[in-house]
Amino acid sequence: MEIPVNELAEAKRQIDSILHKLRETIRTLEAKAGGGEKYRSQITLARRRVAALEIAVGLVEREMAAGASGEAAADAGGPAGAGAGAAAKQL
């Protein structure tokens, strides 16, 4: 499935926004917890979500790079490349 680069860019922007909010939430919860066990599960969950979303950003960036290079190859009259299609199927 081919996803246009502009849609990938918007998805990345939204994920970046969520990441920013989650990181702020972690800071707030850590400040409230004061080094104790209070809010520990919420902090752990937020950190795991940050890690997962960072992976998602990396995959979106990889797809954007593959899409951009595929578009350049198509503009030059060459094939878009098998790698771009294979990467899109993995998402």
Side-chain angles (χ1 to χ4, degrees):
M1 176 173 92
E2 289 292 324
I3 302 171
V5 174
N6 64 329
E7 287 185 27
L8 290 169
E10 178 60 21
K12 182 184 176 306
R13 192 178 73 76
Q14 295 299 324
I15 294 170
D16 286 339
S17 174
I18 294 168
L19 278 168
H20 174 74
K21 290 175 185 175
L22 272 172
R23 289 180 179 126
E24 288 298 316
T25 299
I26 291 169
R27 282 194 261 293
T28 300
L29 290 173
E30 287 175 339
K32 285 183 179 182
E37 289 300 310
K38 195 172 183 182
Y39 303 111
R40 184 61 36 208
S41 61
Q42 290 91 337
I43 293 168
T44 299
L45 178 61
R47 286 181 178 157
R48 288 179 179 167
R49 287 178 174 166
V50 165
L53 289 169
E54 286 173 344
I55 291 169
V57 167
L59 292 171
V60 169
E61 288 173 343
R62 186 172 74 187
E63 274 300 301
M64 288 172 65
S69 65
E71 288 173 4
D75 290 343
K89 289 178 186 175
Q90 289 177 348
L91 289 179

